[in-house]
Amino acid sequence: MKIAVVDYGMGNLRSVAKALEHVAPEATVVVTSEASELDAADRVVVPGQGALHDCMREFLARGLRDSVERASRTKPFLGICVGMQMLFDHGDEGDTAGLGLVAGEVPKFSATMQSEDGAHLKVPHMGWNEVEALYPHPMFAGIAPNARFYFVHSYYCAPRDVADAVAQTRYGIAFTSAVARDNIFATQFHPEKSAAAGLQLLANFVSWMP
């Protein structure tokens, strides 16, 4: 099996690759920006970290759009953090057009959000938080209900079709923390930084047959 981690010069590519190598020692994991390698891969991962507009600029400058869109239609596909936000139509950060593979927007958390006890919540949302699966999905196999995953983000995904939301997390509001459609699965949280639960999710991706 060959797993391609898309390299567009942004994000913690090596951490994602190392985590995949850990859960799939028999697989070949490549970090690449070559369309031919993405086309030849059995599974594709688009990680991300930083500002959406910067990530999209670098992503498009490297000519990755066509090969990534092909992968999103034809093979198991995992987006992580900004790699999830890029899938949507539009992001408020920098008034940025996304890939339009999942209908919806990426708005910013309100600066005036409060917790249930009235405490002010900081933006960005940073740290461990519970992820509630909204319906059973093979990517959550072996993961405890409401398991905690690691987040770092100021913007969140708001899918137009509620059926695309597979998990949610509460931080002032209940926001979509994972989406699933056909062979696409994407998370706002970082599985590669989320200890046992995150490694289990990545292991599930390696065996997932959508």
Side-chain angles (χ1 to χ4, degrees):
M1 179 188 295
K2 183 176 182 180
I3 305 172
V5 178
V6 179
D7 179 5
Y8 55 98
M10 308 286 288
N12 51 332
L13 306 173
R14 300 297 170 185
S15 296
V16 173
K18 290 296 184 185
L20 287 165
E21 290 170 354
H22 177 77
V23 300
E26 75 288 353
T28 299
V29 179
V30 295
V31 177
T32 182
S33 59
E34 296 296 325
S36 59
E37 287 206 272
L38 297 180
D39 288 339
D42 300 294
R43 296 164 193 272
V44 170
V45 181
V46 180
Q49 189 170 288
L52 177 61
H53 56 90
D54 292 337
C55 290
M56 281 301 303
R57 183 189 66 241
E58 295 300 320
F59 182 87
L60 296 174
R62 285 166 168 76
L64 289 165
R65 181 170 196 145
D66 288 348
S67 55
V68 166
E69 287 186 351
R70 282 195 298 274
S72 75
R73 294 191 298 267
T74 60
K75 58 192 69 176
F77 181 99
L78 176 63
I80 298 173
C81 194
V82 176
M84 171 176 167
Q85 296 178 3
M86 291 167 62
L87 301 177
F88 282 72
D89 294 320
H90 175 265
D92 286 355
E93 186 175 22
D95 190 20
T96 303
L99 297 175
L101 300 175
V102 179
E105 302 293 317
V106 186
K108 188 174 185 178
F109 283 123
S110 168
T112 60
M113 286 196 309
Q114 295 182 338
S115 64
E116 292 180 357
D117 61 5
H120 174 68
L121 293 174
K122 294 181 179 180
V123 178
H125 170 215
M126 184 182 302
W128 296 83
N129 207 336
E130 293 183 356
V131 172
E132 176 192 359
L134 298 174
Y135 60 85
H137 192 284
M139 287 287 286
F140 286 125
I143 297 173
N146 300 315
R148 294 171 68 83
F149 290 84
Y150 189 79
F151 292 82
V152 183
H153 63 123
S154 300
Y155 296 77
Y156 64 94
C157 295
R160 191 170 304 149
D161 185 347
V162 295
D164 289 335
V166 67
Q168 69 178 12
T169 294
R170 178 164 289 281
Y171 190 70
I173 60 171
F175 69 90
T176 297
S177 51
V179 295
R181 170 183 284 186
D182 301 326
N183 54 297
I184 294 174
F185 193 92
T187 67
Q188 183 61 67
F189 54 83
H190 288 270
E192 78 282 3
K193 296 181 179 179
S194 297
L199 291 176
Q200 182 62 57
L201 188 139
L202 292 175
N204 292 341
F205 175 68
V206 171
S207 61
W208 181 36
M209 298 297 292

